[in-house]
Amino acid sequence: DAEITQSPRHKITETGRQVTLACHQTWNHNNMFWYRQDLGHGLRLIHYSYGVQDTNKGEVSDGYSVSRSNTEDLPLTLESAASSQTSVYFCASSDYRGTELFFGEGSRLTVL
Amino acid sequence: GIQVEQSPPDLILQEGANSTLRCNFSDSVNNLQWFHQNPWGQLINLFYIPSGTKQNGRLSATTVATERYSLLYISSSQTTDSGVYFCAAPFMNRDDKIIFGKGTRLHILP
């Protein structure tokens, strides 16, 4: 079955370290998204991609970067982790713009 | 700015009760989705509903795109329905960015 997987599922890191969260989908979807979820804010869009070599900023992109070198993967990098980036991160994908969105299981990141 | 507003923010019901959750959106959208986030944090797709009405068991959803709202109906609630319900929509005038509401937290009492 096609799926979307995130790794690691849980990570603890220190302030200032670089962190990369992986997202891999086997749906062969064109579009991929990264969201963060925090109490009181719901899910907020960090970055998104509508195809290979395409990346775009979302609502809360400061301190994050993504790259899309193939269809299956959209890694999310925190260049210098901050305590404010402690959150649960969800990756999602969809076939075409405006079509149904499917989520991964989430990655819980704690920055100490 | 773009807004997706959900109401009520919180809802506590006895098992067996019915409920209606509402989602209002501020601009034109291509479609609308409803998700259930269970107590383990998983986001489960409920409905992909650009317009009209769909039903799946005890759950149904209606979207009226011209009036910019969607409703999720849960009938004969069960404790497994507890969790947070989110609606989300891609906004046509914002590069189809998919924006989420803040959710309705539903707690079903046994």
Side-chain angles (χ1 to χ4, degrees):
Chain A
D1 284 346
E3 60 180 3
I4 180 167
T5 56
Q6 295 183 229
S7 62
R9 295 291 312 281
H10 301 272
K11 184 170 181 67
I12 300 173
T13 191
E14 295 177 342
T15 302
R17 290 192 180 267
Q18 184 180 81
V19 176
T20 296
L21 304 179
C23 176
H24 179 80
Q25 54 100 0
T26 58
W27 294 94
N28 200 33
H29 282 167
N30 291 298
N31 307 332
M32 297 183 73
F33 307 82
W34 274 104
Y35 289 86
R36 61 177 287 175
Q37 185 176 30
D38 307 287
L39 278 175
H41 290 281
L43 287 120
R44 293 182 291 174
L45 184 62
I46 306 172
H47 281 286
Y48 60 104
S49 168
Y50 285 149
V52 176
Q53 302 301 332
D54 176 74
T55 60
N56 306 281
K57 294 182 178 181
E59 306 167 81
V60 290
S61 59
D62 288 348
Y64 303 95
S65 64
V66 294
S67 61
R68 187 90 180 271
S69 59
N70 59 50
T71 300
E72 297 79 17
D73 299 292
L74 187 71
L76 177 71
T77 298
L78 288 68
E79 299 292 344
S80 178
S83 56
S84 59
Q85 294 176 309
T86 292
S87 188
V88 179
Y89 292 86
F90 285 95
C91 182
S93 70
S94 68
D95 198 1
Y96 296 102
R97 289 171 61 152
T99 59
E100 190 172 5
L101 195 64
F102 296 89
F103 278 92
E105 299 283 304
S107 294
R108 182 177 294 276
L109 176 67
T110 302
V111 183
L112 302 176
Chain B
I2 299 170
Q3 288 185 320
V4 179
E5 295 181 343
Q6 294 188 241
S7 61
D10 297 281
L11 192 56
I12 301 174
L13 296 172
Q14 207 70 38
E15 197 169 25
N18 302 328
S19 59
T20 300
L21 282 57
R22 187 178 180 100
C23 175
N24 292 332
F25 38 96
S26 61
D27 206 342
S28 300
V29 300
N30 285 319
N31 68 65
L32 187 123
Q33 279 189 260
W34 284 96
F35 297 88
H36 175 215
Q37 189 168 38
N38 64 22
W40 296 271
Q42 292 176 302
L43 284 157
I44 298 163
N45 290 31
L46 294 178
F47 293 100
Y48 170 75
I49 181 167
S51 63
T53 298
K54 289 188 177 180
Q55 180 146 12
N56 185 4
R58 297 181 294 104
L59 274 63
S60 65
T62 295
T63 296
V64 184
T66 52
E67 296 187 23
R68 299 183 181 171
Y69 74 89
S70 183
L71 302 173
L72 177 68
Y73 306 95
I74 305 174
S75 64
S76 304
S77 299
Q78 300 176 359
T79 55
T80 51
D81 294 330
S82 295
V84 184
Y85 290 81
F86 292 101
C87 65
F91 285 82
M92 294 190 291
N93 294 330
R94 296 293 186 272
D95 196 31
D96 289 325
K97 281 191 285 193
I98 300 173
I99 306 298
F100 280 74
K102 291 189 177 182
T104 292
R105 184 172 296 276
L106 178 64
H107 189 50
I108 305 299
L109 302 173

